[in-house]
Amino acid sequence: MTVDTTTTSYWLNWRVLLCGIWILVSIVFASILILRNECRKSDLDHRSTGNKRKEPPGYLIKDEVWRPCLKSMHPVYLLVLRVFAFTVLLLMLVLIVFVDGTNIFYFYTQWTFILVTIYFALGSLLSIHGCYKYGHKTSEIMHSDHENGARGSSRRERKEEGMNHENQKAGFLPYVFQVIFQMNAGAVILTDIVFWFIIVPFLAIKDYKLNFLNASMHFINAVFLLADTALNCLRFPWFRIGYFFLWTSVYVIFQWILHACISLWWPYPFLDLSSSFSPLWYSAVALMHIPCYGIFMLIMKAKHCLMSKWFPLSYWNKQ
């Protein structure tokens, strides 16, 4: 029997207080991390004026959002991947809404799936712009070399030098893209772990048959994100776990407001505040953010290690 979530007694109790404290602590923790480590204008001004200073942890070069991690790889490969991923994810999202209705947007999985789709949509636009810049720069260098009679080896050197001149600080949109990438990194790991290791075994006990669409949503998002991670040149500063915490906190607050106004079922049983174990569930999910984000950091470390070993001369080593 579903508990009426609109009553005063449902919200004014010790369970809600403890869960609220967990949410507040997560938001404060995330905000402190972001404010202390995110790029400040003064740090960027020091770099832009030529003052040699250690880059702040959140610094981003504008061409890193579209450039592959290998110097010898054309940016069009990353563009093709992002356009293909965006197309598949968007079609899957439309199909799922058509089959299951708009109720799917109550779930954290769909929130994350939409965020991944937005990531590849924005990434496609940035890659299109990057391919245009890359082709324009290459054409200028080849035209200049043709006029000056430069040899092939000199042309390659000038081409790499020309691309290095693009190492300027990123604007607002590339930073948003970088933040979404790191939010997705933690959220995709969290949703897939919870789904495959908690929800699926529970459904198996209830003899519930999992349909193809639900299974695909918790698989294809990780596949595309890992493929993009393998090819892209994005950095992965640890402090942006704060955005991951904020993302989940916004979802939980949305669910609280929704259930305070309308009495309906909870999308996940561990969000139900009527249970005496709800504070433990909330604290466990909050703490799960750390290992989930840590798993993706290990994936990034493994990528840097392998790429540096396999392609020592071609790999852009930006950690």
Side-chain angles (χ1 to χ4, degrees):
M1 182 178 179
T2 304
V3 179
D4 187 0
T5 60
T6 61
T7 61
T8 305
S9 59
Y10 186 88
W11 296 99
L12 298 182
N13 55 71
W14 64 273
R15 299 184 302 274
V16 177
L17 176 62
L18 290 180
C19 293
I21 291 174
W22 268 111
I23 296 174
L24 181 61
V25 168
S26 299
I27 293 175
V28 171
F29 169 73
S31 301
I32 291 174
L33 278 181
I34 294 170
L35 291 175
R36 286 189 174 182
N37 295 281
E38 194 61 87
C39 281
R40 298 194 180 105
K41 189 177 185 300
S42 58
D43 293 326
L44 298 180
D45 289 342
H46 273 282
R47 183 178 175 89
S48 61
T49 55
N51 188 353
K52 291 185 178 180
R53 185 174 178 178
K54 185 179 179 181
E55 291 180 351
Y59 189 78
L60 180 68
I61 296 173
K62 67 179 183 179
D63 66 344
E64 289 178 356
V65 297
W66 56 263
R67 186 176 61 189
C69 60
L70 299 178
K71 299 177 185 178
S72 57
M73 182 180 292
H74 197 284
V76 74
Y77 290 102
L78 188 56
L79 170 62
V80 170
L81 170 65
R82 288 174 172 175
V83 171
F84 177 72
F86 168 68
T87 304
V88 172
L89 294 175
L90 183 61
L91 290 176
M92 286 188 63
L93 187 61
V94 172
L95 182 60
I96 291 170
V97 172
F98 178 78
V99 173
D100 296 331
T102 56
N103 288 338
I104 64 169
F105 296 112
Y106 292 144
F107 292 91
Y108 184 80
T109 297
Q110 274 66 38
W111 280 45
T112 301
F113 197 86
I114 292 173
L115 190 65
V116 175
T117 306
I118 293 173
Y119 168 79
F120 281 107
L122 184 56
S124 298
L125 294 176
L126 292 172
S127 287
I128 291 172
H129 176 68
C131 286
Y132 171 78
K133 287 178 58 179
Y134 183 89
H136 182 68
K137 177 64 69 174
T138 302
S139 298
E140 285 184 349
I141 294 174
M142 292 181 67
H143 180 71
S144 175
D145 287 344
H146 178 73
E147 290 182 347
N148 298 328
R151 293 177 301 178
S153 59
S154 175
R155 182 178 300 172
R156 286 192 297 269
E157 292 174 359
R158 286 170 56 81
K159 180 178 176 181
E160 292 185 2
E161 181 182 357
M163 297 310 297
N164 288 335
H165 287 166
E166 298 296 324
N167 290 347
Q168 303 172 8
K169 62 175 179 150
F172 174 75
L173 199 59
Y175 269 104
V176 171
F177 180 71
Q178 167 78 12
V179 169
I180 294 176
F181 170 66
Q182 296 196 243
M183 288 168 61
N184 279 325
V188 166
I189 297 295
L190 177 63
T191 54
D192 288 1
I193 286 179
V194 170
F195 181 78
W196 290 109
F197 294 98
I198 297 179
I199 296 178
V200 169
F202 176 79
L203 294 177
I205 296 175
K206 300 293 184 179
D207 293 328
Y208 178 84
K209 293 184 178 180
L210 190 66
N211 63 51
F212 175 76
L213 282 178
N214 285 332
S216 299
M217 286 192 70
H218 295 83
F219 174 75
I220 199 69
N221 56 357
V223 170
F224 281 140
L225 191 63
L226 289 174
D228 188 86
T229 301
L231 293 182
N232 70 35
C233 199
L234 292 174
R235 311 181 192 202
F236 203 81
W238 65 271
F239 76 88
R240 288 203 175 112
I241 189 178
Y243 292 103
F244 178 28
F245 273 102
L246 291 179
W247 173 251
T248 305
S249 298
V250 168
Y251 172 78
V252 175
I253 293 173
F254 165 78
Q255 288 292 336
W256 280 26
I257 295 174
L258 182 65
H259 283 77
C261 298
I262 306 172
S263 182
L264 45 78
W265 48 273
W266 288 93
Y268 301 101
F270 49 79
L271 290 178
D272 189 356
L273 296 164
S274 63
S275 171
S276 301
F277 297 100
S278 56
L280 292 177
W281 276 113
Y282 273 69
S283 60
V285 172
L287 293 175
M288 278 182 64
H289 283 60
I290 299 175
C292 288
Y293 196 80
I295 289 173
F296 212 93
M297 287 194 69
L298 290 177
I299 292 174
M300 293 295 294
K301 291 290 185 182
K303 170 194 170 182
H304 290 309
C305 180
L306 294 175
M307 289 294 188
S308 299
K309 181 179 180 180
W310 293 342
F311 309 98
L313 300 180
S314 182
Y315 179 58
W316 293 100
N317 189 16
K318 290 287 185 180
Q319 299 191 49

